[in-house]
Amino acid sequence: MVKIAVVGGGIIGLSSACCLKRKYPKIEITLISEKFSPNTTGDGSAGVLMPYLLQDTPKDLVERWSKGTLDFFLSLWKTPEGGEVGISLIPVSIVTSNDEVPPYGVFGLHELTPTALQRFNIPTLRKGYSFTSFTCEPMKLLPYFLQEFTLAGGNVEERKVMNLESLGDNFDIVVNCTGLGAREVVSDESVIPIRGQVLRVEAPSVFQLIMCADADGRYIIPNQESVVLGGTHQENDWNTKSTQEDTDFITSGCFRMLPSLKDAVVLSNWVGLRPGRPTVRLEAEIIKSTKQKTFTVNGTIIFQFFFQKFIFK
Amino acid sequence: MHIGVLGAGIVGFNTALRIQQEFPNVQVTLIADKFEEDTTSYGAAGIFRPGTNFLGPTPSITENWIKDSYNFYNEILQSEEAHKAGIFEISGYILASEHSFLTRNHFLEKLLPIYRKVSDEELTLCVGDWKYGSYFTTMKIESEDFLPWARTKFEVGGGKVLCKKIETFNDLGKFKLSAPFDVVFNCTGFGSKWLCNDTRLVPVRGQVFKVKAPWVKMFFYGDYDTYIIPGRRSVTLGGCRQLDSYNMTVSTHDSAAIWERCTSILPTLHKAEILKEWVGLRPHRDTVRCEIETFHIENRSVKIIHQYGHGGYGVTTSPGTAKYSVELFIESLRRSTGCGLTFTPLDSSTSSCGAKVSKL
């Protein structure tokens, strides 16, 4: 009987574990992770369905993955659980000073008029898009996935995995969803942190997502109980403490786009390290375990849907 | 000169503010017996959306009312005051299963930053067999914040607020005031039915739920009378439009119908926490009454400027009707007293009628 291990209990690991369990209910699957929600990277993010910082990952793959996620959110949105699970339908405006390519896989995509662009108070803006999309807060989605996984008979182990070879003795397939941890676990030094700082504020009258897609662009993302103001994307920056400089950078930019945010009470100031890589690694590899048993890592059978770079967006 | 305003709902306070804007040095006193949560305005969702049947004296005046109202609220929206005044931007869908005309709005299509037809994919965002739809971006003006904000602004501007009940206009002569009223703006909404004995004013009963559903960030309208409108503190689920009903108690039948209609469009509402149910009587009139009448109160000639009958569109149209009513007053001053007013005509697109009163 095949035994599968999923390493990593963040958004990638949990969604993979659930997906596997749905497709192969009788197979024994074990989720192993050092950290679980609310202490994963994804927990701090706003959870916007929008590919971001995927570098050179092939476009057609990103499109396919995004579509899978969109279909998943749409189906959950139309069930009673949708809201509790963290899903929200939201109007989005993306504006840019460059010739940004319009986003794909969203609803009702339209270009913004020059008059509409003026409302954002950024004089260099040249283009903008309006559309409807989803947010899904990992803080709510992860517990939902974990519950589904365990109720379906999945095993959960809370421990740190040092390398995959040690798992190969007990498992035939290992799904590596370690994110930034892949630097240690599989010695992949191409995975680097992309530091993101965000503030969460109390602003219950913000009902739209505004994002400036420039390199120094800031964003405003409403969640259920707070509004996320961001952000930064500093490559190879390991600093997990928020800085005043970044706080000022974020707030000044956001207040310019939405002046009435000035009164908002700040609830938290948080930093997460996005697991950046030149491309998303999604591939199978056969390696030998410590006891010389062969096993498959990252088998391609499993990916029916794949969560995109929610992180901080 | 002493100017009075009757009514502390959205029409009363928008009128009081407009008067202060045109006559910054004149004493203005607002009188009402119901304030804040006791007003009809309070329970309204407050979305800026005039009904296609909304009517003033002429179509052109009606359009100007709506345009002036939009500009008034939009100016606050773009400022730092927006949050305090309870004004914010909101977007959403209006869907129809049979009649495409239900998704159209000739007022808004000219005015809003976005008002467009939906794509086929967008029709799948809500459960149901939807054939037509529009998407638009508008504003919400929440009376729960706007009324206190307007009151503060009014009082800071020197305005006085009195809590008194008026049965007839003659009662105005019985109060102890700093000076008797020269002109009174009647913004009593449904109260005008009795105050003016106006049989054309008819209640249109509405009932809503206020629920906690923080995942709802857009509004949805479905066919007839079904709407889901999020706000700062709660989501409003509605509704109904019952002509000539005076029933102020919550009807369990209406509750069941509204709940079923809303949850069938948005099943996630099944998990919403119900905060309260509320009933309001929209002060409906075939057309809004905006005109001047002269009364004799305690041997004095007092101008009464009526401004009531906004139906379900008081929040949406009152800045515009307030501007118009004040212009009516200024026009009448010019005609009757001839005291050297400079005045720009009615239906002007400027935000102020530029009146200066040289003799008071």
Side-chain angles (χ1 to χ4, degrees), chain B residues 11-27:
Chain B
V11 181
F13 273 112
N14 270 330
T15 305
L17 288 180
R18 183 74 203 190
I19 295 167
Q20 278 187 329
Q21 195 185 325
E22 296 299 333
F23 301 95
N25 301 313
V26 172
Q27 179 57 52

Side-chain angles (χ1 to χ4, degrees), chain A residues 64-80:
Chain A
R64 184 154 59 101
W65 296 335
S66 302
K67 177 88 180 33
T69 307
L70 183 74
D71 291 343
F72 173 68
F73 286 164
L74 181 60
S75 64
L76 259 184
W77 172 248
K78 288 154 102 165
T79 67

